[in-house]
Amino acid sequence: MRIEVHGVVQGVGFRPFVYTTAAELALSGFVGNDSSGVFIEVEGEPGAVAEFADRVEHRPPPLAVVESMTAVEIPLVGGTGFHIGSTNKTGGRTLASPDVALCADCARELRDPTNRRYRHPFVNCTNCGPRFTIIRELPYDRSATTMSVFPMCSDCASEYRDPGDRRFHAQPVACPQCGPELEFVASGEVHRWEDALRRAREMLTGGRIVAVKGIGGYHLACDAYDDTAVQLLRQRKRRGAKPFAVMVPDLATAESLVHLDERERFLLECPQRPILLAAKRGEILAPSVAPHNRNLGLMIAYTPLHQLLFGLPGDAPGPQVLVMTSGNLGGEPICYRNDDALDRLQHLADGFLQHNRAILVPCDDSVIRVVDGEDVPIRRSRGYAPMPVALPTPVQPTLAVGADLKNTCAVADGRYAWLSQHIGDMDDLATLQAFTDAEQHLEELTTVSPTLVVADAHPLYRSTGWAKRHQGDRPLVLVQHHHAHIAAVMGEHGLDGSGQVIGFAFDGTGYGPDGAVWGGEVMLADYKGFQRLWHLRYVPLAGGDISVERPYRMALSHLWAAGIEWTPDIPSVAACSPTEQRVLRHQLETGFGCAPTSSMGRLFDAVASLAGVRHVVDYEAEAAIEFEGLTANADAEPYAFELARDEIDAAPVIRAVVVDVRNGVPAALIGARFHAAVSALIVDLAERIRTDTGTNVAALSGGVFQNAVLLSAARRALTDHGFDVISHRKLPPNDGGIALGQILAANAM
């Protein structure tokens, strides 16, 4: 039988698995890699061959993903024994595996004094270790990775060739004698191996900041219990108040810091090891780790180096919870090369724990939260990229460049799309270069040669400008931002586009065809296009980004639009100086420097400011996030929006909020009533549209639906009213998932 297997079947121990399976069933033949996947020729007793094919398709190795398999009978050749053949680099396409956390077997070796990899910072096997970040090209062999510069010693080579060994054909295999080397650099001194680990732990214990090279780039680490150290890191990194993620050595430590359900425990220990956003048990860590935030982002150590940094039995005590934030200055791409890190991080870190295994492509940590038992990705990167997303309809070879915030790009061909790792906000030249590198690497790994380029319709987006500069003779299609959001969630759920959905696209900013700043959009949509049925009534966004950074200005704009006098008993008014009030009033009355906006994200900011929660933000959506944190649920009596023609008027909500503020109603209750109002609005509009059109699918997308209180309430209420509800589970609802929608929309036009 000739068997061809396609999917994630390289770098995951698939050939060793095939070898041992064939040996168990007394079959002869061979297995090899090519550019489309794994090919097998096998012969033996018919029952054994059938059992073999079943195991290959339905019981592959843990990290493998079999997307498709073909099997045809071929003439017998009378072979004896089974062997692994050479790699064939001819045509086709296979899938690269994401980077994978340290497996249980390697973790035991790391701690076993009798094992030759005891305390080895780079222990790995076919079931764990670096993949995506070290692969230059496919097929996946050692020569095609950054491990090619480390010749295997005789012991490692023996394991690599032994079909009965866990490291049989494990491409990153190494040991202390032949693999990468660990060093610690500080104050002009270089320490190696155990001395490097000891010095790094000492520095962390002493309240210093250490740059640590991981799988996808550098982290900046400090003791999460030492508030002085955390504040120093904030100051050096120019972080403001944005929460830091922390790393812990094990699940027990995580349980001591946050409340976890079964799904959250699984995510913390799964091979992807994302940062999990979970509810704090209290302010146990330094107050500066995640100020004014009820959630904590934490991950369990996912590399052997990280585990050694926490220490093994017998090591001197050190911090057991570390701030572990991306190694960069605010707004810059993550550092991943040693020379670049020593240059760019020299004023941020006191020491560098690094190694000489090169990272080919940077990859930030992924971030996930769980809402009602379901995953809601916030950032899809390490552990998940570049896993493909199956498409409901075939597409031509396409490149989508995404948006300008939380950027990811994507390529697609046929029935699959591949989204890049998180690239970041496209606001400087370094990020644009990182985007270019990521896009080129993605094309090389997938062998997709795009014939179509897609970008956001915003004329000033840097991603759109990049697309125009790089389109060459290829057509460029521009897709409206919120249409792409709805198309993305449709595609994620496999909708073929034969029917329309009721789309709720709620976010902070998106360019509308009328030149306004959209963001509170209710549409009837399929992949081909959309009809804007309802939207938040426009209010002036005065001064652009300054009103985003100062929610009190957005609150005053909503007060002005609602005809409410600016009196100092309203917290937002009190936060605005008399001089700024005069300038702002002039802008609102004349329209000078104002853009009309229908943004739901800005409405959340405004109400948060009116309730006295947050008037000035250090990072995107800080006011809304803090407002959500005060709001336990959306079960309170809701405020009420008014509907007229195609507009959703927020003025009645603003008036009711002001009344509650003046009556001393707590911000938490105002938050509950506001979240309930938005949820009730969604159900009301969905029912109206269903009555008019018969459409029963409600699609929720956009950054506002990262809000767990709103998402939970809206999904539950829509379901109770008989709607089929789709929301994001594989891709972020924010702009990090928008490239998928761009691909599907552009190919349907």
Side-chain angles (χ1 to χ4, degrees):
M1 186 173 285
R2 167 84 180 191
I3 298 174
E4 295 183 1
V5 190
H6 306 282
V8 182
V9 291
Q10 295 188 17
V12 292
F14 205 93
R15 285 181 295 170
F17 155 77
V18 168
Y19 182 100
T20 55
T21 302
E24 287 177 14
L25 296 171
L27 303 176
S28 62
F30 62 89
V31 59
N33 276 348
D34 64 17
S35 296
S36 64
V38 167
F39 58 91
I40 308 162
E41 289 192 12
V42 63
E43 63 181 50
E45 292 296 324
V49 172
E51 171 67 15
F52 174 86
D54 182 74
R55 290 192 196 181
V56 168
E57 184 172 13
H58 299 112
R59 287 178 280 172
L63 300 179
V65 178
V66 176
E67 296 285 352
S68 65
M69 188 183 93
T70 60
V72 295
E73 290 190 12
I74 57 175
L76 290 166
V77 297
T80 58
F82 196 92
H83 68 277
I84 291 183
S86 59
T87 294
N88 182 354
K89 295 192 176 183
T90 59
R93 175 180 296 132
T94 190
L95 309 179
S97 168
D99 301 304
V100 185
L102 183 69
C103 71
D105 290 329
C106 286
R108 281 190 291 270
E109 291 179 346
L110 184 71
R111 289 167 167 74
D112 181 3
T114 67
N115 191 282
R116 73 186 189 92
R117 290 188 176 86
Y118 174 57
R119 302 181 68 88
H120 179 47
F122 310 102
V123 58
N124 67 81
C125 69
T126 55
N127 297 321
C128 67
R131 298 290 194 276
F132 173 58
T133 52
I134 65 169
I135 299 174
R136 290 192 181 91
E137 61 182 358
L138 293 174
Y140 176 63
D141 281 308
R142 192 179 183 97
S143 60
T145 74
T146 60
M147 286 295 294
S148 61
V149 299
F150 301 104
M152 286 182 279
C153 67
S154 59
D155 288 337
C156 286
S158 177
E159 293 171 332
Y160 184 85
R161 292 191 298 265
D162 181 2
D165 195 281
R166 199 174 79 254
R167 295 186 171 87
F168 185 45
H169 280 247
Q171 307 307 337
V173 64
C175 73
Q177 281 66 51
C178 66
E181 296 182 353
L182 184 69
E183 65 179 19
F184 182 77
V185 179
S187 302
E189 297 182 356
V190 179
H191 306 267
R192 302 189 187 280
W193 293 108
E194 287 296 336
D195 196 32
L197 285 165
R198 180 183 58 81
R199 289 289 297 124
R201 282 198 298 271
E202 288 176 351
M203 190 164 279
L204 290 167
T205 302
R208 311 295 288 278
I209 297 166
V210 175
V212 181
K213 186 179 181 181
I215 284 183
Y218 278 80
H219 288 103
L220 293 170
C222 70
D223 185 352
Y225 286 99
D226 186 337
D227 200 53
T228 301
V230 178
Q231 289 190 45
L232 179 62
L233 178 55
R234 284 199 177 281
Q235 177 185 344
R236 290 181 180 179
K237 191 175 162 70
R238 302 176 193 169
R239 179 76 169 198
K242 189 174 183 179
F244 283 132
V246 300
M247 178 178 281
V248 297
D250 49 43
L251 184 61
T253 307
E255 295 258 31
S256 71
L257 299 174
V258 294
H259 298 279
L260 298 173
D261 63 21
E262 182 178 353
R263 180 62 186 173
E264 290 169 329
R265 293 186 190 95
F266 169 81
L267 286 170
L268 281 174
E269 294 193 303
C270 73
Q272 292 77 22
R273 296 284 176 91
I275 296 171
L276 174 74
L277 298 184
K280 295 177 184 175
R281 288 190 177 274
E283 291 297 338
I284 299 171
L285 302 176
S288 299
V289 170
H292 312 296
N293 200 308
R294 69 186 297 268
N295 292 319
L296 179 67
L298 81 168
M299 56 185 156
I300 292 178
Y302 55 85
T303 73
L305 178 57
H306 290 136
Q307 295 204 3
L308 290 168
L309 193 58
F310 285 108
L312 301 186
D315 287 334
Q320 289 302 290
V321 182
L322 292 172
V323 166
M324 198 68 76
T325 188
S326 56
N328 56 1
L329 199 60
E332 294 182 352
I334 189 173
C335 290
Y336 65 100
R337 297 191 306 270
N338 292 2
D339 56 348
D340 185 44
L342 290 170
D343 177 36
R344 287 170 52 201
L345 303 181
Q346 62 177 314
H347 301 299
L348 281 71
D350 300 304
F352 294 79
L353 185 63
Q354 59 190 31
H355 53 79
N356 59 342
R357 182 179 67 201
I359 297 170
L360 186 66
V361 58
C363 196
D364 272 292
D365 297 311
S366 295
V367 183
I368 291 182
R369 73 185 309 179
V370 176
V371 179
D372 297 332
E374 295 182 354
D375 298 356
V376 180
I378 306 300
R379 185 168 72 198
R380 183 184 185 269
S381 201
R382 177 189 52 78
Y384 298 91
M387 283 292 290
V389 177
L391 300 178
T393 56
V395 301
Q396 64 178 300
T398 304
L399 165 65
V401 301
D404 266 21
L405 297 180
K406 300 177 177 63
N407 179 272
T408 63
C409 61
V411 296
D413 188 13
R415 297 300 292 260
Y416 291 99
W418 292 263
L419 273 74
S420 75
Q421 72 277 24
H422 169 80
I423 297 170
D425 296 349
M426 305 279 280
D427 52 7
D428 60 29
L429 290 176
T431 308
L432 282 171
Q433 184 58 52
F435 176 93
T436 302
D437 294 343
E439 188 275 330
Q440 291 176 349
H441 186 241
L442 198 59
E443 284 193 27
E444 290 165 1
L445 284 189
T446 61
T447 68
V448 173
S449 297
T451 57
L452 175 68
V453 182
V454 195
D456 194 280
H458 198 304
L460 299 181
Y461 265 9
R462 294 170 180 84
S463 54
T464 303
W466 186 97
K468 291 177 179 177
R469 293 191 301 274
H470 291 81
Q471 72 176 103
D473 58 359
R474 300 173 294 186
L476 172 65
V477 176
L478 302 180
V479 176
Q480 199 278 326
H481 187 89
H482 300 94
H483 181 208
H485 268 305
I486 299 304
V489 72
M490 289 174 62
E492 182 182 320
H493 284 265
L495 275 63
D496 63 9
S498 58
Q500 294 179 308
V501 303
I502 305 167
F504 294 89
F506 290 174
D507 63 4
T509 299
Y511 181 78
D514 59 356
V517 179
W518 287 16
E521 313 310 312
V522 185
M523 58 181 63
L524 197 63
D526 55 20
Y527 297 127
K528 293 180 180 179
F530 70 96
Q531 181 183 356
R532 189 192 197 197
L533 300 180
W534 298 88
H535 63 88
L536 278 176
R537 179 172 291 174
Y538 290 141
V539 297
L541 178 69
D545 285 347
I546 192 170
S547 285
V548 178
E549 297 163 1
R550 303 179 189 178
Y552 67 79
R553 291 175 60 93
M554 204 67 236
L556 266 60
S557 181
H558 272 282
L559 291 172
W560 178 83
I564 300 172
E565 185 181 354
W566 295 353
T567 56
D569 60 333
I570 302 173
S572 306
V573 178
C576 186
S577 71
T579 300
E580 188 175 5
Q581 285 186 39
R582 287 193 294 272
V583 174
L584 180 57
R585 186 180 296 278
H586 176 74
Q587 287 185 280
L588 297 176
E589 290 175 347
T590 64
F592 178 75
C594 292
T597 183
S598 60
S599 170
M600 182 64 78
R602 299 289 80 80
L603 178 60
F604 267 81
D605 288 348
V607 177
S609 175
L610 290 171
V613 173
R614 173 69 54 184
H615 303 302
V616 178
V617 300
D618 287 321
Y619 60 93
E620 184 193 10
E622 180 182 8
I625 291 169
E626 193 170 331
F627 199 29
E628 176 199 344
L630 292 173
T631 305
N633 54 58
D635 292 336
E637 182 67 24
Y639 300 121
F641 290 88
E642 285 186 1
L643 304 177
R645 297 183 304 278
D646 61 349
E647 292 185 333
I648 306 160
D649 189 1
V653 172
I654 299 297
R655 295 187 194 103
V657 168
V658 170
V659 170
D660 277 355
V661 168
R662 286 171 170 162
N663 288 335
V665 174
L669 180 53
I670 292 174
R673 296 191 67 190
F674 177 69
H675 283 77
V678 178
S679 175
L681 172 70
I682 290 170
V683 174
D684 184 8
L685 293 175
E687 288 193 305
R688 289 170 183 249
I689 296 169
R690 178 169 61 182
T691 299
D692 292 340
T693 66
T695 303
N696 197 57
V697 179
L700 310 178
S701 188
V704 169
F705 289 108
Q706 294 175 147
N707 182 315
V709 174
L710 176 63
L711 178 61
S712 176
R715 287 197 307 208
R716 186 171 59 251
L718 286 166
T719 301
D720 288 346
H721 284 76
F723 287 94
D724 298 323
V725 186
I726 58 172
S727 58
H728 291 278
R729 298 177 187 174
K730 298 177 183 177
L731 303 177
N734 59 46
D735 288 0
I738 210 168
L740 178 67
Q742 291 177 340
I743 288 168
L744 290 166
N747 276 275
M749 292 178 179

